[in-house]
Amino acid sequence: MAIGLLIIGDEILSGKRADRHLAKLIELLSTRGMQLSWAEYIGDDPARITATLQRSFASRDIVFSCGGIGATPDDHTRRCAAAALGLPLVLHPGAKEKIQERIADMARTEGKEPQLDAPENLHRLKMGEFPQGAQLIPNPYNKIPGFSIAHPEEGAHYFLPGFPVMAGPMMEWVLDTIYPHLFHKSTNIEKSVFTLNAMESALTPLMEQIEAEFGLVKVFSLPHVGDARTEAHIELGVKGDSIQVESAFQTLLSGLDARHVRYRMSL
């Protein structure tokens, strides 16, 4: 199962807010020996959100979706998820309970009695309307839950708020509660060098040779233009299956030596 991330909201694409979900998920996965496979940013366009979810629901991926699950007019994710699945939106009884708990907590903080049937509080219950059959994701920050949709065979979608202070702990809960069996299962490793006197075009044939010879290895090339403190260089490396990476790396070094390319080992 690949792991993906959807980040939904015009505020990210316009630059009003900087995305922090991507870095957080990469961090959480890395500490558990896991890796993010893909990520997409989507604006508040219902048709595009629905089409994207239809495509990702058809996969077996583990997908985290952040943003758009509130109850204001620009929050489309809950409705789009239901449309993508062909399911009705229904008020989840557990979500209703948690939302009403939050309403009561807020009222007590203000020294008031909660008015659960007040129009604004009835509107807040829309945050608990999820595609039929959804499961809850607890929110330790303010109790308003997210929701998940399991795929028929494997994988699932996890829908979280757009606020990183909420989404981060909820991502962590999903990983630690549902996927501990996947922690540190990967046997992939990465090895690289910094080449100091070569152009990418001159190194491309060597890179193509390595990928053709080692089917479980990917080659990567990351040029650095250099600055006052750092010499211009290319980080050239191989990543993938731990056994093949060792052999591929030796082939890489031999190829660089044969081409009289200066290099130093990366840390």
Side-chain angles (χ1 to χ4, degrees), residues 49-242:
I49 296 170
T50 301
T52 301
L53 289 173
Q54 285 175 331
R55 171 167 46 82
S56 61
F57 276 134
S59 75
R60 297 182 177 184
D61 293 351
I62 298 168
V63 180
F64 292 90
S65 174
C66 299
I69 65 171
T72 56
D74 59 341
D75 289 316
H76 305 294
T77 305
R78 293 177 296 104
R79 186 172 69 254
C80 291
L85 293 165
L87 294 173
L89 276 179
V90 296
L91 179 59
H92 190 291
K96 177 181 178 180
E97 179 181 342
K98 288 297 181 182
I99 293 168
Q100 289 182 332
E101 282 183 22
R102 172 62 176 169
I103 292 169
D105 290 343
M106 293 170 64
R108 282 193 292 268
T109 299
E110 298 173 358
K112 301 177 181 177
E113 286 295 318
Q115 302 294 323
L116 297 180
D117 57 352
E120 63 272 19
N121 289 331
L122 292 175
H123 180 74
R124 288 189 174 105
L125 293 181
K126 288 187 174 296
M127 292 187 290
E129 293 180 354
F130 306 141
Q132 192 171 51
Q135 301 297 311
L136 298 187
I137 302 172
N139 180 346
Y141 186 83
N142 67 359
K143 298 185 178 180
I144 309 298
F147 66 98
S148 66
I149 299 288
H151 300 180
E153 297 182 12
E154 61 181 355
H157 276 57
Y158 300 93
F159 293 90
L160 311 174
F163 297 99
V165 69
M166 303 179 195
M170 294 168 79
M171 288 176 183
E172 194 163 11
W173 180 89
V174 169
L175 293 172
D176 291 344
T177 304
I178 302 173
Y179 297 107
H181 61 288
L182 299 181
F183 294 177
H184 304 288
K185 290 292 187 181
S186 173
T187 59
N188 289 352
I189 62 171
E190 175 181 305
K191 301 192 77 170
S192 65
V193 295
F194 296 138
T195 66
L196 304 172
N197 65 331
M199 302 292 289
E200 275 189 305
S201 57
L203 298 174
T204 299
L206 175 59
M207 297 165 65
E208 292 174 340
Q209 172 199 334
I210 291 171
E211 288 205 343
E213 185 175 345
F214 301 95
L216 301 179
V217 167
K218 291 183 178 180
V219 181
F220 62 90
S221 173
L222 300 173
H224 297 259
V225 297
D227 53 34
R229 296 177 297 176
T230 306
E231 182 179 0
H233 64 276
I234 298 171
E235 183 179 0
L236 185 66
V238 290
K239 59 185 178 181
D241 176 74
S242 58

Side-chain angles (χ1 to χ4, degrees), residues 193 203 206 209-210 213 236 246-261 263 265:
V193 295
L203 298 174
L206 175 59
Q209 172 199 334
I210 291 171
E213 185 175 345
L236 185 66
E246 296 294 344
S247 299
F249 188 62
Q250 293 306 313
T251 300
L252 174 65
L253 297 182
S254 297
L256 294 175
D257 291 337
R259 290 165 172 79
H260 306 290
V261 175
Y263 60 86
M265 296 294 181

